[in-house]
Structure formats: C-alpha cells, structure tokens
Amino acid sequence: MRNLVNLLLRPIIAALVILTIADYPVHADPPLPIVAEQGMYIIEVYPQHHQMIVRVQGQIYKTYPIAVGNPSTPTPVGEYQIVYKGKDWAPSFGPRWLGLNVPWGNYGIHGTNRPDSIGQHLSHGCIRMRNRDVKELYELIPIGTIVKINGHVLGDSNHEPRDLAEDDVGGDVQLIQSRLKSAGYFKGICNGKFRSDTTAAIKQFQRDRGLAPNGIVTVKVYEQLGLLE
C-alpha cells in the first residue's frame, strides 16, 4: 500500500517542483535581508532646516547637516523605507548610497563630491551628506529602516502648488491620484506617475465639475478635490 501511495504522489510532487522553479527567475536577485529589529532606528529629514535626525528607540542619537532638492526637483515628502545599500556608485554620489522606495523615481541618501552644497537646496531630489557622515550612517542603519521626510506634499505653504500635467511625477501627483481614486475616477495605481490614465481621470473630473477638460491639474482642480481652501 505504501509503495502505491508513493507511486501516486510522485508525479504530483514533481509537478509542484516544476511549477515552483518555473515561477522563480533563474537570475533573480537574492531577497532583501530580514530586519531583525525593524523600527529600532528611524530617520527624520527636515528639508527646510537641512537637517537629518537619527533616532534609536525613539531617542535622538545623532543629527547631521544635509543638502536637499532644489525647488524644481524637490526631495519627496512622505514616509519611505531604506530598501537598498550600495558602495561607490560614482564620484557625485560619494562613497555610500542608501536607496529609498519612492515609487516614482530613484531617490536616496548618499555622499557627494560637492561638500559646499551641504546646508542648501541644491540636489536633484536626493539627500546629500558629507562623505564621512554617510559612511557612518551606512554602517549604522539596516535595510528596512523608516525614513520620514517632513513637509507638505503640495510644497511651500507660501506658494501655490504647481500645475500638474502628463509626464509629471511626485508626491503631489500621487495625492491627486489617491483623491481621484477615492472619488471613483481613477482606476490605476497611485504611483505618483502622471500618465494617460491619470489624464483621462482628470478630464472626466473636470467635465463633471464644469471645468475645461484639458487634463491639467490647476488651482481650481486642487480646490475641487478638497486640497486647497
């Protein structure tokens, strides 16, 4: 009887093995390491003050001066995670790179060959550190660490939010997509990438609100979505 059961199970097990292998890319990258104490470290970034604070179990461990994005390519506001750590990408990135899981682009914390930029809004959106500081951070911070970048997703409170159109990317685009999705207009992924599906949703929203259906997010659209008073 045991031999009969083994004979019957053998093709089923073989099929499961084949399916498992077929579903896993031969050249796949190894999975990210599991973070044993996820949440022990938190990084807080304050772009307006060009400051990064590292907390360990809620207590301030160290504060670093940084450079952040210029007004046309701002550092993305929001809560992200360190998902990659690398060394020596290129001179402009300094000796270390800690990548963030921002869905609409490649952003990270890295060193620089422009130490004079520290304390200014001069990057293309990444967070720059002095090379000695980023080396220290690299050794301290595990993959999976939360990075909280503070500020308003619509930008400086003293200025109107930017007009948005197809091909724009950013946290403001993601916020618009989220509001449109909640209202039943947008069916895609809220990834901060303004593509044709977002344009179509904006146009339909504009028609229903009596606005010119041009697919451009203006102050009027922000107001109608409840994002501005």
Side-chain angles (χ1 to χ4, degrees):
M1 176 62 72
R2 184 179 297 175
N3 289 338
L4 179 60
V5 171
N6 288 338
L7 189 64
L8 291 172
L9 286 177
R10 195 172 298 161
I12 297 173
I13 294 170
L16 288 173
V17 170
I18 291 169
L19 285 172
T20 303
I21 293 171
D23 197 43
Y24 190 82
V26 175
H27 300 291
D29 291 332
L32 294 174
I34 296 171
V35 180
E37 296 190 64
Q38 191 167 356
M40 179 179 175
Y41 298 92
I42 290 179
I43 295 174
E44 297 173 355
V45 177
Y46 297 90
Q48 292 303 316
H49 301 287
H50 308 103
Q51 189 176 76
M52 174 192 293
I53 295 175
V54 177
R55 293 183 181 272
V56 179
Q57 295 182 330
Q59 302 301 309
I60 294 177
Y61 172 75
K62 195 154 186 180
T63 300
Y64 297 101
I66 55 173
V68 293
N70 64 60
S72 61
T73 56
T75 297
V77 170
E79 188 170 297
Y80 308 103
Q81 278 187 298
I82 302 286
V83 292
Y84 176 80
K85 293 170 68 175
K87 297 181 179 181
D88 301 320
W89 273 24
S92 60
F93 296 113
R96 301 290 185 272
W97 169 278
L98 294 89
L100 303 175
N101 62 338
V102 180
W104 58 84
N106 294 319
Y107 293 88
I109 301 167
H110 62 78
T112 182
N113 60 355
R114 288 279 312 279
D116 56 300
S117 68
I118 302 300
Q120 301 186 60
H121 285 72
L122 279 179
S123 82
H124 293 109
C126 288
I127 299 161
R128 295 181 188 172
M129 302 181 72
R130 295 178 299 201
N131 289 339
R132 65 176 183 272
D133 290 344
V134 79
K135 283 182 177 180
E136 183 175 278
L137 189 74
Y138 184 95
E139 296 301 325
L140 176 70
I141 295 299
I143 287 175
T145 297
I146 297 294
V147 178
K148 297 181 178 181
I149 302 176
N150 294 273
H152 197 288
V153 72
L154 296 181
D156 186 349
S157 59
N158 297 321
H159 299 88
E160 297 288 358
R162 62 174 179 155
D163 287 356
L164 299 172
E166 200 160 311
D167 293 331
D168 283 332
V169 297
D172 44 5
V173 175
Q174 190 175 42
L175 180 58
I176 293 293
Q177 290 171 328
S178 178
R179 287 298 178 98
L180 289 170
K181 194 162 194 170
S182 297
Y185 287 91
F186 183 63
K187 308 300 182 185
I189 300 171
C190 299
N191 56 10
K193 299 176 182 179
F194 202 132
R195 302 293 183 255
S196 58
D197 54 351
T198 305
T199 300
I202 288 291
K203 286 182 176 179
Q204 188 57 53
F205 180 83
Q206 289 170 322
R207 291 189 193 98
D208 291 349
R209 296 301 190 282
L211 303 173
N214 57 13
I216 298 173
V217 179
T218 61
V219 169
K220 289 291 185 183
V221 174
Y222 284 109
E223 290 174 349
Q224 290 291 326
L225 286 170
L227 296 171
L228 291 177
E229 296 183 356

